[in-house]
Amino acid sequence: MSIPKRAAIGLTATVTALIVTACSSTASSGSSKGFSTDWPRNPDQSSTALKAGLPMLGSEMLQVHYHAHLDVIVDGKPVTVPQYVGIDENAQTITALHTHDTSGVMHIESAKDTPFKLGQFFTEWGQPLTAAQVGPVAIDADQALHVIVNGKEIAGDPAQYVLKAHDEIAVWIGAKSQTPQVPSSYNFPPGL
């Protein structure tokens, strides 16, 4: 499927989602209390791709082709990973790291095997990913951030995690007293 076909379908949905979010978002900085589970992507994907260090391409490159899955969970609620992260529908361009739908599947489709990082994806999305803040949610003193990949917690800066084929990545924020309940794998559709 080419970018123009995807773009035509997605443009209306993206604009509608942005309008609904602008009218109804309850996201607040400083706490996860009262946050929205709809964290829209930045509508200027060319700009966020540049910030992420990812060039916009005229088409998908498939010499290196793999997928990883992302779950973001805040206070037990899943956050929707938006469609078309890394895709500029107006310019008809795409980065090597992108989404096609809201499943959480990140597509890595590149001309060369370079490391792609979780932080690059969040930057394209237009959302921060640090030890102190994920999206619009600042980590309070009574909260914890856990990044769990394939059932094992990773240490260090979450933005520096290098994506690998068929990773199941869970970014979890909750009370320090809670144990994260996250998937340890993702059932990728055939062909992914």
Side-chain angles (χ1 to χ4, degrees):
M1 182 179 292
S2 68
I3 295 172
K5 291 178 185 175
R6 290 182 183 148
I9 294 168
L11 185 57
T12 302
T14 301
V15 170
T16 302
L18 290 172
I19 292 168
V20 169
T21 300
C23 295
S24 64
S25 178
T26 58
S28 63
S29 58
S31 173
S32 63
K33 296 156 185 69
F35 84 96
S36 170
T37 57
D38 183 17
W39 300 357
R41 72 180 183 123
N42 184 311
D44 185 357
Q45 285 294 287
S46 289
S47 172
T48 57
L50 181 64
K51 288 178 188 173
L54 296 168
M56 295 304 280
L57 309 168
S59 64
E60 295 168 308
M61 303 292 170
L62 300 176
Q63 289 83 347
V64 175
H65 187 193
Y66 60 96
H67 304 87
H69 185 263
L70 175 64
D71 284 301
V72 179
I73 302 164
V74 181
D75 291 337
K77 298 175 188 168
V79 172
T80 302
V81 176
Q83 67 180 359
Y84 303 133
V85 170
I87 298 175
D88 184 329
E89 299 100 332
N90 293 330
Q92 298 296 297
T93 54
I94 189 168
T95 69
L97 175 59
H98 57 271
T99 63
H100 292 293
D101 54 35
T102 60
S103 68
V105 172
M106 296 177 287
H107 296 252
I108 296 90
E109 298 167 350
S110 177
K112 55 185 175 177
D113 193 11
T114 58
F116 293 96
K117 297 179 180 176
L118 185 58
Q120 288 178 293
F121 181 78
F122 272 81
T123 299
E124 281 187 296
W125 184 352
Q127 302 293 342
L129 176 63
T130 69
Q133 183 162 349
V134 179
V137 180
I139 311 301
D140 289 346
D142 62 344
Q143 293 178 311
L145 165 64
H146 296 275
V147 179
I148 301 167
V149 179
N150 304 324
K152 296 180 182 176
E153 186 156 4
I154 62 164
D157 181 356
Q160 295 303 311
Y161 179 75
V162 175
L163 304 173
K164 296 173 191 66
H166 287 182
D167 272 347
E168 165 50 37
I169 303 166
V171 176
W172 183 93
I173 301 168
K176 283 185 177 179
S177 60
Q178 289 183 320
T179 300
Q181 300 296 314
V182 298
S184 60
S185 64
Y186 179 74
N187 188 18
F188 288 88
L192 290 188

